[in-house]
Each structure stands twice: as C-alpha cells, then as structure tokens.
Amino acid sequence: MAVVREPSFRQSVDLMFNRAVGLMDLPPGLEEKIRVCNATYTVRFGVRLRGEIQTFTGYRSVHSEHMEPVKGGIRYAISVNQDEVEALAALMTYKCALVETPFGGSKGGLCIDPREYEEHELELITRRFAYELAKRDLINPSQNVPAPDMGPGEREMAWIADQFARMNTTDINAKACVTGKPLNAGGISGRVEATGRGVQYALREFFRNPEDVKAARMEGTLDGKRIVVQGLGNVGFHAAKFLAAEDGARIVGIIERDGALVDDRGLDVEAVHRWIVNHGGVAGYADATYVEDGATVLELDCDVLIPAALEGVINLTNAERIKAPLIIEAANGPVTAGADEILREKGTVIIPDMYANAGGVTVSYFEWVKNLSHIRFGRMQRRQEEARHQLVVDELERLSEDMGKIWSLSPNFKDRYLRGAGELELVRSGLDDTMRIAYQSMREVWHGRDDVTDLRVAAYIVAIDRVAKSYRAKGL
Ligand code: NAD
C-alpha cells in the first residue's frame, strides 16, 4: 500500500498562508514576521493526586502580538502538542483579523484526557495550570485572554478566573482574564452556543448569495438541505440544533467517536445529544441506522458537510470520495492542505475555519468588553427603548381610534416591537453583524480578483492584509 504523506497541521496552515501571500505584494521580511509564531511556552508541573505526584505538560503559544491582548482557547487532549498549538495560534491571529476582534492570536493546550479524572482532580490540575500561565503573564486581561476549546467548558474557565483573581487581589479587571465563563461568574449570555450559532449565521449568509450557492452546485435556501455533522460537542451540537430547528435543514448524519447515526428523514438532534450525554456515544440509539466506521459517513451523499470535531479528518485518504458540494469548517483545520487541493479541483466550496468558527471569539470579545466595562449589555437602554416604542404604539392606537378602528396592530407585532433588547438579543445581533460583514469582505476578494478562486485564500488575504497594516502602523 502506498504511504500517504500529509504535512503536519502547522505545515498545512503555513501552506495555506503561502498560497495567499503568493498573491499579495508584501515585503518578504514582513511576510515572514507575520507567518512565524512569536513564542511557545511549555510548562511542566506536578500535582499530588491519588497519593502520588503526577506531572502534566501544557503549552501556551503566542503567534502574533500586533494587537494585545492575544486571544485563543485552551484544549484538553492527550494529542495536544507544540505543532498543534502553534497551528491553532496562527489561525487565531487570522481569525481575529478577519472578524475584526482587536486581538492577536494565541492558543493553549494541556496533554490530558479529562475523562480520566474526577471533578475535584480536574479542578486541582486546572488551577495549577492557570497558576503556571498567569505567573508568566500568559493569562492576563491586558496581555493574554484564554477561552474554552475542545475539552474544557464554563466550569474550567470559572476556575481559571478565580485562580487569577486570587493571585491578583487588587486587579479590578481580573474577570476579563479569561472568557467563556458561566453567567454567574462574569460570563455573557449566548457564549456557550456562540460558535455553533456563528456556523448557522455563516451558512445563512452564504445562502443569501445565490451566485455563491450556484458555485456549490446548489440552489435555494437552507430549508430542506441535507447536512452531515461530525462531532456533537459544543460547536456541532449547537450548529446542528439551530440549523434543524430554525432553518428547516435536515441533519441526515451525525458522526461521533464510536460511530455514526444516519437517517435520511432527519435526526432528532436534541434526542441524539441526550443519548450521547447518558451513554457516552451514539451506539445503541434506536431511531436511526448505526454505522460502526463513523468516518465513512463523511463521504455520505449530502448537501452540506460540517466537520465539528477535530483537525485533519478530511485528508489525502478520503478527500476524493467526499460528495458534499459545500463544506463548512466548524472545527479548526479539519481539511488538510492536500485534501484542500483535491476538493478545490473537484469544485467543492469550502467555507474556511477562520471564518466559520469565529462566532466563539466574537462573543468572547463581547464578554471581555463587558468585564472591562463592568456592566451588562442593554442595562442602560432596554427600558428606555421600550418606553419610546410604547409611545409609538400608543400614538398608532390613538390614530386607529380616531379613524373608527378600521385597522389595528396585531398583538404579535406589539409584543415583538415593545420588547427592548436584552443582553442575549444584543449578543446575537452583534454576532450576526460580524458574520455578515466578514463574509462580505471575503466574498469581495473571492469574486473581485481573477487570481482568487476560493474562499480560504480570500479569507487569508483579507486577514493577512489587516495584520500587515497593523504592523506597518507600528513602524515595522
Ligand atoms: P467538544 O469537546 O465540545 O466537542 C468535540 C466533539 O467531537 C465531542 O462530542 C467528541 O466526542 C467528538 N469527537 C472527538 N473525536 C471524534 C472523532 N474522531 N470522530 C467524531 N467525533 C469526535 O469541542 P468543541 O468545543 O465543540 O470543539 C470542536 C472543534 O471546534 C475544535 O476543532 C475546536 O478547536 C473548534 N472550535 C471550538 C470553539 C468553541 O467555542 N468551543 C471555537 C472555535 C473553534
């Protein structure tokens, strides 16, 4: 059998970067400055667990400090390594630039399988990791602000925030040291769902542009489109749930660690999710066909493929057999550089990770701003907005009365119009706006230049250009 050689994740990101800068006019020195990772710290620390000292290895990589703080998630997985965190940190730089969140790129990881530890053990490990990072300013509201990635969630972010606050007792902005916290610990409404919601908004924006839909050999709207999702974790679950419930899409395949579920009539996403939470996997779920070799379901005949689990799943070994005409990269780096080339040649449209999963960092940005301003979004305006709307409704009803009630406002309109925007509505509005504007900025390059034939290169060009301008403004 021929040996298939794939570049590493980091090399894949560099290859994609090189393809874009090849079409730009950057001085070679600046190009290199933007490409390289500024620093990667490895920390090794011991924690006394189960009567013995266990040593853990963690990383925090800072890719670019053209804007500070730098931002990026923390991943808990046995497979975490320096190459991976550097690739993910680089993607964060480009992602933040593309969606105009004022951060440089960073990423962290801890080599650990969180499922092997009790909650109190995970707390000890997380706090110690946070201590090691905070001591080196690798967690800091003005320098480096982590968030959850694969593995950790709100609970871990709350521990990190508390650990930082204990080490910086007089820092009034301590809560802004990390995002993705629970609401009662300085979090923001809508953060948990944000990345999945962003995937939904990205797809909606794509389908608002018939020319782009046609490029993916489809027509119409999201309604009735057949979707396959890989990974029903935070990102995949929310994306699938919203697309099915709010856009009429049919989730015809769900791929998890232990296999996949398939049903052409559409799966009940919430029921499957509940099953996974209770049984640890998809096997045994009754209302669908179970496929033991889950990865083969990536090759199912469908309209949209959403890889939302991990990197490198679409690679040289299976790219040729992928049938979906549209792939939206909810995970980071799910398509290797080699597979990207094969898919482009086949005419598959790929909505790239740096855009597709930017909902998380966008809402993290809102959370960071909320923490620094020490006030919930909407608190000052909401009732005033409602009072002004009430004035309009009263006036319209008075006019209706004067005209002999030949018309009236529908109760549904009144309810909706009179409700002032709370934090969740504002967060969704800000996220929707961000995803629409960023899509248009990529699209302009995609359709506006003869030498750009795909959205990924377009995204890189927009992002790199912004980072370059930022470096130039600093005199570099
Ligand atoms: P998660 O840990 O909540 O979910 C990952 C899911 O993938 C889990 O359900 C897991 O069982 C499943 N999975 C793992 N290995 C698999 C395999 N081999 N085949 C099929 N399924 C598998 O993680 P998440 O936060 O949803 O992150 C998923 C991806 O999205 C990652 O690439 C991450 O970097 C990216 N991302 C996450 C966020 C965020 O806000 N959480 C933001 C941006 C990007």
Side-chain angles (χ1 to χ4, degrees):
M1 205 172 86
V3 180
V4 180
R5 274 187 60 81
E6 293 266 8
S8 71
F9 188 10
R10 175 91 186 101
Q11 287 165 339
S12 247
V13 171
D14 281 353
L15 283 168
M16 292 168 180
F17 174 93
N18 291 342
R19 208 154 63 77
V21 290
L23 304 175
M24 299 173 76
D25 194 20
L26 293 181
L30 184 56
E31 190 180 304
E32 176 69 358
K33 173 71 207 79
I34 295 173
R35 193 184 57 75
V36 297
C37 246
N38 287 3
T40 303
Y41 295 83
T42 307
V43 291
R44 295 187 185 86
F45 55 91
V47 182
R48 181 170 285 281
L49 297 170
R50 303 172 197 178
E52 59 172 23
I53 293 175
Q54 291 190 26
T55 302
F56 296 90
T57 303
Y59 303 91
R60 187 81 184 153
S61 176
V62 176
H63 174 259
S64 174
E65 290 149 294
H66 66 289
M67 286 200 189
E68 283 182 305
V70 292
K71 187 107 193 59
I74 291 181
R75 177 175 284 197
Y76 283 5
I78 286 292
S79 54
V80 161
N81 59 60
Q82 181 169 344
D83 186 277
E84 181 184 81
V85 286
E86 289 191 353
L88 290 164
L91 277 176
M92 281 307 297
T93 295
Y94 310 133
K95 187 181 307 185
C96 290
L98 182 67
V99 296
E100 297 179 287
T101 53
F103 302 126
S106 181
K107 203 79 180 191
L110 188 61
C111 300
I112 180 181
D113 181 352
R115 290 170 303 178
E116 284 182 6
Y117 295 91
E118 305 279 335
E119 181 168 352
H120 71 277
E121 294 175 325
L122 270 179
E123 178 172 354
L124 280 175
I125 300 164
T126 302
R127 283 185 180 275
R128 186 61 206 270
F129 185 34
Y131 170 82
E132 295 294 333
L133 295 180
K135 173 164 104 166
R136 296 170 174 83
D137 285 332
L138 292 165
I139 296 180
N140 185 304
S142 55
Q143 277 175 271
N144 197 324
V145 182
D149 190 72
M150 256 169 77
E154 288 189 328
R155 181 185 65 177
E156 286 77 5
M157 299 306 114
W159 292 333
I160 293 174
D162 184 63
Q163 184 64 35
F164 183 85
R166 286 184 193 191
M167 294 165 70
N168 298 275
T169 49
T170 56
D171 185 346
I172 196 169
N173 293 322
K175 277 198 168 61
C177 74
V178 67
T179 57
K181 302 177 291 292
L183 206 48
N184 60 15
I188 192 166
S189 309
R191 174 61 184 88
V192 175
E193 63 173 50
T195 311
R197 187 60 88 184
V199 171
Q200 176 197 29
Y201 289 167
L203 275 176
R204 281 186 179 174
E205 185 58 12
F206 178 85
F207 277 92
R208 271 189 207 107
N209 293 276
E211 204 185 327
D212 302 359
V213 179
K214 204 170 153 209
R217 306 189 300 281
M218 283 187 281
E219 55 184 31
T221 64
L222 269 166
D223 194 22
K225 293 285 182 293
R226 291 161 306 145
I227 296 183
V228 170
V229 182
Q230 183 190 39
L232 210 66
N234 178 312
V235 179
F237 168 59
H238 288 104
K241 180 171 96 166
F242 297 142
L243 286 163
E246 298 170 14
D247 298 288
R250 253 189 303 155
I251 310 300
V252 296
I254 290 176
I255 310 167
E256 259 295 328
R257 288 176 206 265
D258 66 327
L261 298 175
V262 177
D263 185 347
D264 198 53
R265 292 164 306 168
L267 292 151
D268 179 339
V269 177
E270 299 215 46
V272 175
H273 187 249
R274 268 195 308 276
W275 182 268
I276 295 172
V277 170
N278 293 330
H279 300 88
V282 290
Y285 181 78
D287 295 330
T289 307
Y290 172 69
V291 180
E292 197 176 337
D293 185 3
T296 58
V297 175
L298 289 168
E299 300 161 21
L300 199 74
D301 186 10
C302 64
D303 298 308
V304 187
L305 176 59
I306 310 185
L310 61 170
E311 57 261 22
V313 292
I314 300 171
N315 48 48
L316 292 175
T317 67
N318 62 357
E320 202 61 68
R321 296 192 301 274
I322 300 290
K323 295 186 194 66
L326 176 65
I327 300 176
I328 175 158
E329 296 182 326
N332 282 306
V335 177
T336 63
D340 190 60
E341 200 176 323
I342 295 173
L343 291 164
R344 266 185 286 122
E345 274 165 20
K346 276 174 48 157
T348 310
V349 174
I350 302 178
I351 303 180
D353 46 7
M354 82 167 78
Y355 166 70
N357 66 35
V361 75
T362 302
V363 177
S364 275
Y365 167 45
F366 302 155
E367 180 178 335
W368 180 73
V369 170
K370 175 186 181 181
N371 292 154
L372 295 180
S373 53
H374 300 268
I375 189 165
R376 179 181 81 233
F377 287 108
R379 184 164 176 179
M380 304 295 278
Q381 313 91 317
R382 183 178 188 165
R383 303 301 166 194
Q384 200 254 359
E385 190 189 333
E386 287 181 355
R388 286 166 68 91
H389 286 187
Q390 187 70 54
L391 273 179
V392 174
V393 166
D394 289 348
E395 191 61 9
L396 286 171
E397 286 185 332
R398 190 189 60 74
L399 280 171
S400 157
E401 198 84 27
D402 285 356
M403 294 165 76
K405 288 202 167 178
I406 51 172
W407 56 268
S408 63
L409 298 173
S410 65
N412 185 28
F413 166 80
K414 266 174 63 175
D415 279 356
R416 289 172 56 197
Y417 187 64
L418 287 176
R419 206 178 318 126
E423 186 168 83
L424 185 59
E425 289 78 18
L426 291 169
V427 163
R428 287 187 182 157
S429 154
L431 176 59
D432 193 10
D433 187 55
T434 302
M435 297 309 288
R436 289 187 200 214
I437 289 179
Y439 185 81
Q440 291 306 325
S441 68
M442 288 188 300
R443 189 173 188 273
E444 244 170 60
V445 176
W446 182 26
H447 294 306
R449 287 179 56 155
D450 292 340
D451 53 356
V452 175
T453 52
D454 64 307
L455 275 166
R456 190 188 311 279
V457 157
Y460 269 97
I461 289 177
V462 174
I464 295 167
D465 184 53
R466 288 183 183 156
V467 177
K469 284 192 173 118
S470 179
Y471 273 124
R472 280 207 200 97
K474 283 172 183 272
L476 254 183

